Amino acid sequence: MSPTAIPNLAPDGYRLRLPGPTFVPERVLQASAQMVVNHRGPEFRGALAKAEAGLQPILGTKNRILFYAASGSGMMEAAIVNVAGPGDELLIVTHGQFGERFATIAQAVGAKADVVATQWGDDIDLAAVEAHLKQKDYRAMVVVHNESSTGIVADLAKLGALVRDRRTLLVVDSVSGLGGIEMKQDEWGVDILVSASQKALMCPPGLGLASISPKAWEVINGGGRLPSFYWDFRRAQASAEKGETPFTPAVSLVGGLLAALDMIHTEGLHQVLARHKKLANALRAGGAAIGLSDFGAGQRKSSTVVVFDVPAPLDGATIVRELYQRHRTVIAGARNRLSGKVIRIGTMGSIDADTIYTDLAHLEDVLPDLGHKLNPGAGVAAARAYLS
Ligand SMILES: *Cc1c(COP(=O)(O)O)cnc(C)c1O
């Protein structure tokens, strides 16, 4: 009997160009496909220690790194439930869809959340945040570092300064920032930082991580009963001290992460961050040359995701569909109030200039047939000029 062929997940020529999950390099795929080992044995203990040491400079922290089998949203929930339960006051600073997710999580755990909502695409209004902080003694201020829905980056240095001399903690989601945008957790005063494997860290999805400051530990250890078992950071920390995780971790993904971290540190973290910025700006330059303007009025543009306004009378979903059908290029639209109005392209992880040129070439091919006039070749040429 012949074995049944395993169906491929990806068709030939498939280009995963989402703002996460992102393209996983062959080295990382192979490292993720190794024999599974005992998660409490010496081999895995060594792997966790290496993963922690490789991640700490990327986070800019000396804190322990806690690992979970989880998606990014799981880590967002973990961050909230460890500092707030029913009735606790939180200040949620939103500037897009993922910030709103934080507000939804806060509601789900019964916390009392005040929301400072920034118009999507704008920079966060720091004065409005400060005014709120002066009014109440919040348990934590919660913010998304890199808003993947709008392409705007929060100024964590300034936000951190606002709570440095208060009891209020700073809780940050850097799921789509970490590894692609500078993070200085300790210097900026980020108390709880959560992230996940499948964005700029260029790993398969499923590995979540958290890093907790001494200031946050005072709150977490402060006697409040956590409305959670799996997410209890105290348990994870106690295991981490023994080189373990409290529950079965995503063993294979830690194998992949070690390869990804090796790639990042071989290139050099500084160079990796500079490459992200350069390529994102090259894509913006190329987009501008074919009539795709950058979404939003904010100045703090992301290096890991580019969000373009969809030119009238086109529909974002149609562009996404055509790019896939003609070129197997998979980009994102929006699944929120911007639905149809923007398209989003990941500029994080394992990408280079050719990746951006190909994105632009495919856009140049598709857009005219949808009714958008452009000068063929102008996008690629502008990106090339920007990079040279
Ligand atoms: C992708 C992402 C998440 C997590 O999403 P999951 O699908 O749960 O992994 C959270 N926050 C931001 C800003 C993201 O970009």
Side-chain angles (χ1 to χ4, degrees), residues 19 71-74 76 98 101 144 146 148 173 175-176 198-199:
S71 85
S73 303
M76 293 170 76
F98 290 97
R101 181 170 298 178
V144 171
N146 180 73
S148 318
D173 156 346
V175 175
S176 64
Q198 80 272 25
K199 308 253 167 128

Side-chain angles (χ1 to χ4, degrees), residues 28 30 35 37 41 51 81 99 119 154 173 210 222 234 236 243 260 267 284 305 312 318 321 351 367 385-386:
V28 178
Q30 302 235 350
M35 175 175 282
V37 295
V81 298
Q119 173 157 329
D173 156 346
R234 295 171 300 190
E267 183 178 348
R284 289 190 179 100
V305 56
T318 313
R321 193 184 63 228
I351 60 164
L367 291 174
Y386 179 87

Side-chain angles (χ1 to χ4, degrees), residues 7-16 324 327-330:
N8 285 333
L9 273 182
D12 286 347
Y14 190 87
R15 299 182 69 244
L16 186 63
Y324 174 69
H327 296 288
R328 295 289 181 255
T329 284
V330 180

